[in-house]
Amino acid sequence: MEESDAQCIKREVLGIGDRRKHHTRKATPLRSHAKEPDTHHRLYRFRFYPTEEQAEQLARTFGACRWVYNEGLALRSNAWKQHQVNVDFAETCRALTGWKQAEETAWLKDVSSTVLQQSLRHLDQAYQRFFKGQAKHPKRKKKGRSRDAAIYVRTGFTWVEDPERPGTGLIKLAKQSQPLDIRWSRALPAGTVPVRLSVTRDRAGRYFVSTLVEERIPPLPAAFVPGSREPKALGVDLGLAALVTLDDGTKLDHPRLLKRYAEKLSRLQRELHRKVRGSKNRGKVRRQIARLYALIKDVRRDMLDKLTTRLVRENQVLVVEDLSVATLMRAARGKGRRRKARLNQAITDAAWGELLRQLRYKCEWYGRTLVIVDRFFPSTRRCSSCRATGPKMDVSVREWTCAQCGAVHDRDVNAAVNLRDEGMRLYWLVATGLPPGKKMPMVIKASELEECLLAA
Ligand SMILES: [Zn+2]
């Protein structure tokens, strides 16, 4: 098909405006300028309390973002299905201009256009992940199912720093007359200007504003094993009996508070199943569950934040297993288990995901290396004393004796030690292959090691 034919189809069939009319409009790139050395993007999240007027305006904004996302999705997938034409981000933006001018969707004008564009950007990112095979085809956003969120780029809000309390100040969103009533639980770095805001409402009805700032975070001095030049390494095993086991034998579990929440959650879930679908009481229980989930998330995030900061500060190299190991293990065991067990499992899974996410960005901030060991590495079955690989073990086995050397192992501690050793093997493999003067990569992933070595 000729390029001009494709353009014609796009314009006429899909109702996208003519490019010539908009040739002056350019899509703003997400990150346009180069960051200074040691600056990192950092998110600070604050709760805020909207006025009635703001809440209404935000409800319209969230709804419009969802609508635009879904409409953009329909446009792109229909163009492909019917005409094998690929509609890109800039073209969906032009379509958006058309929707705003149409009479039946004139309400879109009540919402800042940069916010709506961000919704299309978000869709485009979902498509890019799909094209790369990293994600499934984007799905429609449903009210009450998808999170309410709106992204405001630099032109979508005003920020006035409070001279008496630097790092706090007034944030006013586009199309709103009053600044947000923000609870500044901590200050942003003084003198900073937020790059981007994301305004969300969780299912418990709480409003948050996440401010993305560019912050200079100096790397920490390298951590060595005392009295040597060997980088200090730590193996971290993610498990079911304990959330985290370290190679020195330390075990960390969910705090008691989280366990109590989990119990309450399973009770509410049972209750929900007894209620009639669509009834008022069911809605009430549903909201209670949402609130509890939100609480669990907060407590967990807080706990893991302290933990990961400590681990990253104290060690130079952190070794974890690929998360899919854990998920695979669960898939095999999950069938036919009780509801409560599944629920606890879901909470544990989310904690692992959050833990890895935090380790990853903190390693980058502080100049540490995170090694992600391959999922086929037999961390549990291998004896950390003599390196002999034993037979497969049931998950219920907590302690075992090596048939080769007779060493008695705690299942999880042994796994953590193995992870550390394997991680350091990979670390040195990369370190010795590095040209002089080149810094160690922040993340070494076993499954991408070859690419890592080639790039160096
Ligand atoms: Zn052994």
Side-chain angles (χ1 to χ4, degrees), residues 180-324:
L180 299 176
D181 178 14
I182 296 173
R183 297 298 134 93
W184 295 97
S185 44
R186 60 192 297 187
L188 299 174
T192 191
V193 178
V195 185
R196 204 171 67 197
L197 301 181
S198 123
V199 177
T200 54
R201 197 181 68 156
D202 68 14
R203 287 174 68 184
R206 303 178 307 169
Y207 291 83
F208 293 96
V209 57
S210 293
T211 60
L212 185 73
V213 298
E214 264 173 15
E215 186 173 346
R216 217 191 139 258
I217 305 172
L220 291 167
F224 294 112
V225 174
S228 81
R229 300 296 285 170
E230 173 93 359
K232 208 162 166 244
L234 179 75
V236 183
D237 179 63
L238 308 173
L240 293 164
L243 178 69
V244 173
T245 305
L246 307 179
D247 63 37
D248 62 2
T250 315
K251 293 190 177 203
L252 295 149
D253 204 0
H254 285 299
R256 205 179 302 158
L257 188 61
L258 267 187
K259 285 196 170 151
R260 209 161 60 214
Y261 285 162
E263 272 162 30
K264 199 172 167 199
L265 193 57
S266 64
R267 207 193 64 227
L268 282 172
Q269 294 275 24
R270 279 199 304 275
E271 209 173 306
L272 185 74
H273 275 261
R274 284 198 302 267
K275 303 281 183 220
V276 183
R277 256 173 205 284
S279 71
K280 234 184 206 161
N281 276 329
R282 193 180 160 97
K284 218 158 102 187
V285 176
R286 203 174 263 289
R287 269 193 299 283
Q288 271 179 307
I289 288 176
R291 246 198 314 277
L292 206 53
Y293 263 117
L295 269 174
I296 288 175
K297 215 170 150 187
D298 285 354
V299 172
R300 185 177 56 215
R301 197 196 313 235
D302 213 52
M303 165 195 105
L304 291 175
D305 198 35
K306 291 190 184 102
L307 174 66
T308 51
T309 298
R310 182 166 68 81
L311 298 185
V312 170
R313 280 187 173 276
E314 290 171 359
N315 298 281
Q316 185 62 31
V317 184
L318 292 108
V319 190
V320 291
E321 61 188 329
D322 205 332
L323 191 57
S324 41

Side-chain angles (χ1 to χ4, degrees), residues 383-388 400 402-407 409:
C383 166
S384 57
S385 310
C386 72
R387 304 287 164 93
W400 58 286
C402 173
Q404 292 291 319
C405 71
H409 295 298

